[in-house]
Amino acid sequence: MSLIKTLNSQDEFVGFYLIKELEIKQTNSTPAKDYLDIVLCDATGQLPAKYWDASTTDKETFFPMGLVRVQGLVQTYREKLQIKIIKIRKATDDDGVFLTDFIRSAPIRPVDLIYTIKQAMDSIQDKEMHTIVSFCVKKVEERLMHYPAAKTHHHAYFAGLAYHMVRMLELGEFICKQRPFLNPDLLTAGIILHDIAKPEEMTAQLGIVSEYSVHGKLLGHISMASNWITEAAILSNIDLNSDRVLALQHMVLSHHNSGEWGSPVQPQIPEAIALHHIDTIDAKLQMVEDALDTTPEAENWTQSIRGLENKAIYRMKL
């Protein structure tokens, strides 16, 4: 089977793929004709695809998260690869292909990621902080096993959220050793809590986000996580006016650093500044790694990366 990452311009191929996204659109011609605007993916990457002159049956047959057998031609459009679908059909049981074969996932087993997160949580010596963090983790523990950290920006794959947390915990441990004035309990708690409400913000299957929830659209993960901290404190008889509760809420509320990205306040305690930059380092380097990993081997430039000011990354031949 032809893997997405190995496809080159003018390649004719046949293979099985997952429909990650699908929209029914119309051409600009007169009369306008319907076509399927699709994103095909496998575990190595994804490419946009077009299926022209879609029939009524086609529009009722193909949907996101469906496995399909595609005969196609790789073309170049605006200097980027794009697939022209010649034939397409739904995969059948006889084809012997499974959804899990076509999704990207964290390079570490989910069970190991959760174990590491719980170890970090149990290392928090402050009892009130530990209680609050434990309460919030329990709310989403099952979904942490498979949820992505985002729809497209970074760690947007199976168990990506837990992987993001673990990589940040590693950075946090290093920075606390390098900067002993930082409170390790507060930084560890902030790392675990900063995106803890993402599974409530998004609806995802096999690491692919299909939509944002009503709570996600109206409240967002930052405010939901802050509310969970309040809820945990009330249920555990922890003083809502304590510095610990205030510090944890500030960590969560400020970690995006600006209102443009959803934070109502900027970081104003040392651990919050550290959290913001740890989050930024891990997210942006992961954007680069993901883009390089999913760019066809024949291409030197990645797609433009929104989180890096729409810059593309060049693959050096060193």
Side-chain angles (χ1 to χ4, degrees):
M1 186 179 75
S2 300
L3 298 175
I4 291 287
K5 190 174 180 179
T6 64
L7 294 175
N8 300 313
S9 183
Q10 300 307 309
D11 280 353
E12 295 185 29
F13 67 93
V14 175
F16 290 93
Y17 305 96
L18 175 68
I19 296 178
K20 184 177 181 180
E21 300 174 20
L22 184 150
E23 285 187 73
I24 300 171
K25 295 185 176 180
Q26 289 189 324
T27 63
N28 294 323
S29 60
T30 304
K33 296 182 179 181
D34 290 340
Y35 69 94
L36 303 183
D37 190 20
I38 297 173
V39 175
L40 294 175
C41 74
D42 61 19
T44 70
Q46 64 183 43
L47 279 176
K50 300 290 189 290
Y51 186 50
W52 304 105
D53 297 329
S55 66
T56 300
T57 300
D58 293 329
K59 291 182 287 183
E60 295 174 349
T61 298
F62 303 109
F63 298 95
M65 299 304 295
L67 290 178
V68 290
R69 183 181 186 274
V70 170
Q71 177 185 346
L73 171 65
V74 183
Q75 300 176 324
T76 301
Y77 178 70
R78 293 182 177 175
E79 300 183 354
K80 297 296 180 182
L81 296 183
Q82 177 179 280
I83 294 171
K84 176 184 178 181
I85 297 175
I86 299 169
K87 292 183 180 180
I88 183 172
R89 68 165 172 81
K90 294 178 70 173
T92 66
D93 292 342
D94 293 337
D95 291 320
V97 293
F98 305 94
L99 274 173
T100 50
D101 298 330
F102 295 85
I103 61 170
R104 295 188 65 219
S105 61
I108 299 174
R109 294 190 312 162
V111 64
D112 294 330
L113 293 171
I114 300 302
Y115 175 77
T116 301
I117 292 168
K118 286 188 172 182
Q119 271 194 319
M121 180 179 72
D122 291 340
S123 75
I124 298 172
Q125 297 181 15
D126 186 284
K127 291 183 178 179
E128 291 185 352
M129 287 189 193
H130 181 274
T131 296
I132 291 171
V133 172
S134 179
F135 173 87
C136 295
V137 168
K138 285 179 181 177
K139 274 183 170 287
V140 295
E141 183 175 340
E142 183 178 340
R143 284 174 288 175
L144 269 180
M145 289 285 288
H146 60 89
Y147 252 69
K151 184 175 182 179
T152 55
H153 284 339
H154 64 92
H155 302 86
Y157 45 71
F158 191 88
L161 177 55
Y163 183 60
H164 178 43
M165 286 185 186
V166 167
R167 287 292 175 245
M168 287 181 63
L169 287 167
E170 292 170 348
L171 291 170
E173 183 179 6
F174 169 77
I175 288 176
C176 282
K177 290 178 180 177
Q178 190 188 63
R179 295 287 187 269
F181 74 92
L182 294 171
N183 183 311
D185 279 355
L186 181 55
L187 185 55
T188 298
I191 288 171
I192 295 173
L193 294 178
H194 83 289
D195 277 348
I196 197 68
K198 282 284 185 78
E200 287 290 326
E201 183 179 54
M202 306 178 294
T203 300
Q205 180 183 359
L206 294 174
I208 297 174
V209 177
S210 57
E211 61 181 355
Y212 284 84
S213 67
V214 173
H215 280 75
K217 291 176 180 177
L218 298 184
L219 299 178
H221 72 279
I222 290 177
S223 60
M224 283 192 283
S226 179
N227 290 342
W228 290 1
I229 293 169
T230 301
E231 183 183 357
I234 292 172
L235 293 175
S236 303
N237 295 315
I238 298 172
D239 183 3
L240 287 176
N241 295 314
S242 72
D243 284 348
R244 289 171 177 81
V245 173
L246 180 61
L248 290 177
Q249 288 176 321
H250 180 70
M251 296 284 281
V252 168
L253 292 170
S254 67
H255 80 269
H256 279 181
N257 189 53
S258 71
E260 180 185 359
W261 293 102
S263 278
V265 292
Q266 290 186 306
Q268 294 172 73
I269 61 176
E271 293 77 13
I273 294 171
L275 173 62
H276 166 64
H277 288 289
I278 289 169
D279 186 29
T280 299
I281 288 171
D282 187 60
K284 295 203 172 195
L285 285 178
Q286 194 66 48
M287 291 176 197
V288 173
E289 183 177 350
D290 291 345
L292 290 170
D293 283 348
T294 56
T295 296
E297 295 173 353
E299 295 193 7
N300 293 325
W301 287 95
T302 69
Q303 296 282 343
S304 298
I305 303 172
R306 183 183 172 194
L308 296 176
E309 299 176 342
N310 287 319
K311 290 184 174 65
I313 300 298
Y314 184 72
R315 197 199 314 267
M316 298 294 294
K317 308 294 185 183
L318 300 177

Short mmCIF file of all heavy atoms in Angstrom, two decimals, residues 77 116 152 189 259:
data_model
loop_
_atom_site.label_atom_id
_atom_site.label_comp_id
_atom_site.label_asym_id
_atom_site.label_seq_id
_atom_site.Cartn_x
_atom_site.Cartn_y
_atom_site.Cartn_z
N TYR A 77 -0.47 21.48 -6.62
CA TYR A 77 -1.36 22.63 -6.70
C TYR A 77 -0.84 23.70 -5.76
O TYR A 77 -0.69 23.47 -4.57
CB TYR A 77 -2.79 22.23 -6.33
CG TYR A 77 -3.78 23.37 -6.34
CD1 TYR A 77 -4.18 23.97 -7.53
CD2 TYR A 77 -4.32 23.86 -5.14
CE1 TYR A 77 -5.08 25.02 -7.55
CE2 TYR A 77 -5.24 24.90 -5.15
CZ TYR A 77 -5.62 25.48 -6.36
OH TYR A 77 -6.50 26.53 -6.37
N THR A 116 3.20 7.88 34.37
CA THR A 116 4.14 8.98 34.63
C THR A 116 3.43 10.20 35.20
O THR A 116 3.92 10.84 36.13
CB THR A 116 4.87 9.37 33.33
OG1 THR A 116 5.58 8.23 32.83
CG2 THR A 116 5.86 10.50 33.58
N THR A 152 -5.68 20.70 15.69
CA THR A 152 -4.68 20.76 14.61
C THR A 152 -3.32 21.27 15.07
O THR A 152 -2.31 20.89 14.49
CB THR A 152 -5.17 21.68 13.47
OG1 THR A 152 -5.49 22.98 14.00
CG2 THR A 152 -6.40 21.12 12.79
N ALA A 189 1.92 20.88 39.61
CA ALA A 189 0.46 20.96 39.61
C ALA A 189 -0.04 21.77 38.42
O ALA A 189 -1.01 21.39 37.74
CB ALA A 189 -0.03 21.58 40.91
N GLY A 259 -4.94 37.56 26.10
CA GLY A 259 -6.36 37.41 25.84
C GLY A 259 -6.64 36.88 24.46
O GLY A 259 -7.65 36.19 24.23
#
